[in-house]
């Protein structure tokens, strides 16, 4: 069991915690916070130097902490059950740590993100199959160190990770464990940056780090998380289409309705859309409603007509937009032919003719009765 210790929290001027100076009866040391920035890590060396200088002047360990607790950026002297408790504090990861890593991503470099997507999508099973060279002993008794042979398409993906800023000195990968995907195979965007940095930089010190990430699915999780993050950033950016990343775009909502005898359901897609993608969604949803939106009483008289009117109003906004510029998120939706040229849309004539028939029959009955 660890003996009780005392510690002082030390921070840089930006209020980021550097780490914890701790002391017991004989020792004063610094535990860096593992998720801190590179600036904080470098500042920790100065705090450690101050502690050692005070110790060399003859101050007892607890006296060192008391002295340094009066310095700007230092917290009060606090007790802990042991060094392990202080180490647990140092392993804390804050939302600010995640934001700092995400700030390293080059969200404005559309070409780099397109390259990452294209490079990864082009990978084949053969590209992911990694063979090893070396490992043989020559006639003179010299053994060559084994090394992985990566395909050029896989190397392209690795370069693309650096291109989008996912390999960053802001993550001290050697001091932190390799992130693991959740049970569903997902990584948070910040953990994707941590993993990408560890995978790419770790390969320089331990051959096969990339091979292991390919084999266990970590590389897939990294690229998937990064692409999803970028798509979300572009989708929420003003004036950028949520589907293709082109601009200009307008914020609109399209609906589709389906009636099933006594049940019915609706679907909504909203967000910024360019002229091309907006027309595609409008035509698809309106055609679906014209075909499937009538087959319950409430759908026939309320929901289907209301859905069609709402879509007509929304598409007017989209049609005012000029043709969009190049997309940055991927292929642009194909609007296809107009609604009136789609055979499924004319299914709507069935309930319309039925209603007309009922009206005419009712009027005829009234006339005959008169």
């Amino acid at each position: 069991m660890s003996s009780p210790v005392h510690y002082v929290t030390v921070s840089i001027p930006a209020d980021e915690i550097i780490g914890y100076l701790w002391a017991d009866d004989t020792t004063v040391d610094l535990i860096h916070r593992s998720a801190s920035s590179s600036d904080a890590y470098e500042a920790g060396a100065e705090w450690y130097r101050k502690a050692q200088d005070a110790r060399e002047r003859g101050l007892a360990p607890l006296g060192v902490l008391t002295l340094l607790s009066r310095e700007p950026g230092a917290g009060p002297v606090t007790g802990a059950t042991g060094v392990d408790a202080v180490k647990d504090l140092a392993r804390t990861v804050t939302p600010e740590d995640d934001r700092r890593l995400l700030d390293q991503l080059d969200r404005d470099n559309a070409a780099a993100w397109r390259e990452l997507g294209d490079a990864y999508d082009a990978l084949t099973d053969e590209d992911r199959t990694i063979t090893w060279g070396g490992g043989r002993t020559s006639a003179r008794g010299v053994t060559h160190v084994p090394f992985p042979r990566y395909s050029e398409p896989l190397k392209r993906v690795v370069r693309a990770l650096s291109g989008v800023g996912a390999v960053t000195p802001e993550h001290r990968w050697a001091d932190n464990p390799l992130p693991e995907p959740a049970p569903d195979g997902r990584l948070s965007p910040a953990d994707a940056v941590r993993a990408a940095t560890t995978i790419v930089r770790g390969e320089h010190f331990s051959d096969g780090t990339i091979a292991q990430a390919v084999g266990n699915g970590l590389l897939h999780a990294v690229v998937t998380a990064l692409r999803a993050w970028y798509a979300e950033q572009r989708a929420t950016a003003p004036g950028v289409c949520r589907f293709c990343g082109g601009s200009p775009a307008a914020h609109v909502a399209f609906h589709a309705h389906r009636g099933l005898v006594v049940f019915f359901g609706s679907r909504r897609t909203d967000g910024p859309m360019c002229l091309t993608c907006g027309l595609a969604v409008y035509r698809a949803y309106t055609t679906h409603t014209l075909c499937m939106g009538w087959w319950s009483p409430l759908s026939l008289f309320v929901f289907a007509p209301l859905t069609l009117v709402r879509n007509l109003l929304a598409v007017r906004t989209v049609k005012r937009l000029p043709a969009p510029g190049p997309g940055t998120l991927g292929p642009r939706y194909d609007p296809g032919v107009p609604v009136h040229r789609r055979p499924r849309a004319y299914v709507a004539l069935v309930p319309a003719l039925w209603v007309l028939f009922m009206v005419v029959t009712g009027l005829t009955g009234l006339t005959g009765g008169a």
Side-chain angles (χ1 to χ4, degrees):
M1 179 180 293
S2 300
S3 301
V5 301
H6 291 84
Y7 69 90
V8 169
T9 303
V10 291
S11 306
I12 58 176
D15 291 331
E16 180 189 354
I17 296 176
I18 295 169
Y20 306 91
L21 282 169
W22 67 273
D24 57 16
D25 294 337
T26 61
T27 306
V28 177
D29 204 352
L30 173 70
I31 299 177
H32 286 275
R33 203 169 60 84
S34 56
S36 65
S37 66
S38 56
D39 288 344
Y41 184 78
E42 292 173 2
E46 178 63 18
W47 281 99
Y48 180 77
R49 184 191 62 77
K50 290 179 181 180
Q52 295 307 310
D53 287 348
R55 189 80 175 95
E56 290 174 2
R57 293 199 303 269
L59 282 178
L62 185 55
V64 172
L65 294 188
T66 302
L67 174 67
L68 294 182
S69 68
R70 302 176 187 139
E71 296 266 344
V77 177
T78 306
T81 56
V83 178
D84 289 342
V86 182
K87 290 180 178 178
D88 286 341
L89 285 175
R91 283 191 284 268
T92 301
V93 179
T94 68
E96 182 56 37
D97 295 326
D98 288 351
R99 284 193 292 271
R100 186 176 62 255
L101 291 183
L102 295 179
D103 285 344
Q104 303 303 300
L105 295 173
D106 191 352
R107 69 187 71 202
D108 297 323
N109 192 344
W113 287 97
R114 190 161 49 246
E115 168 64 9
L116 176 62
D118 292 347
Y120 192 77
D121 290 343
L123 283 182
T124 64
D125 290 341
E126 184 178 356
D127 297 327
R128 293 181 173 90
T129 301
I130 298 162
T131 60
W132 287 73
R136 298 179 180 178
T137 302
S138 67
R140 292 182 295 178
V142 178
T143 300
H144 296 279
V145 177
F147 61 91
R149 292 193 177 101
Y150 297 123
S151 65
E152 283 304 319
L154 183 56
K155 291 179 182 177
R156 179 188 174 194
V157 174
V158 173
R159 289 193 297 269
L161 287 173
S162 297
V164 299
V167 181
T168 171
E170 279 299 305
H171 175 57
R172 303 197 317 278
W173 63 272
D175 298 330
N176 289 272
L178 182 64
E180 295 183 2
D184 61 1
R186 297 184 181 182
L187 279 175
S188 70
D191 275 347
V193 175
R194 294 181 178 99
T197 300
T198 304
I199 292 168
V200 176
R201 296 203 166 189
E203 184 70 27
H204 298 299
F205 299 90
S206 178
D207 286 336
T209 303
I210 295 173
Q212 183 179 6
V214 172
N216 62 20
L218 181 58
L219 182 65
H220 173 76
V222 166
V223 175
T224 300
L226 291 174
R227 293 175 74 180
W229 174 87
Y230 180 67
E232 182 180 354
Q233 299 302 302
R234 300 301 294 172
T236 56
V240 176
C241 179
R242 59 170 294 187
F243 299 111
C244 69
S247 61
H251 198 289
V252 292
F254 292 108
H255 301 77
H257 183 76
R258 182 176 186 175
L260 295 172
V261 188
V262 296
F263 300 101
F264 51 84
S266 297
R267 180 180 179 184
R268 170 191 170 105
T269 295
D270 60 3
M273 302 183 203
C274 68
L275 169 64
T276 306
C277 294
L279 279 177
V281 176
Y282 162 74
R283 290 173 179 176
Y285 279 20
T286 299
T287 301
H288 177 86
T289 301
L290 287 169
C291 180
M292 304 297 297
W294 309 100
W295 312 113
S296 75
L298 281 175
S299 296
L300 176 61
F301 294 105
V302 179
F303 294 119
L306 180 61
T307 297
L308 295 176
V309 171
R310 294 169 78 179
N311 285 351
L312 282 172
L313 294 175
V315 80
R316 290 174 61 185
T317 300
V318 168
K319 287 182 176 180
R320 297 191 191 104
L321 297 172
T328 59
L329 296 180
R332 185 163 283 138
Y333 281 180
D334 181 6
V337 298
V339 174
H340 69 270
R341 292 174 55 189
R342 302 186 181 202
R344 292 179 70 237
Y346 290 94
V347 174
L349 291 175
V350 175
L353 292 173
W354 178 79
V355 170
L356 179 62
F357 171 76
M358 295 299 292
V359 170
V360 172
T361 301
L363 292 175
T364 304
L366 290 174
T367 303

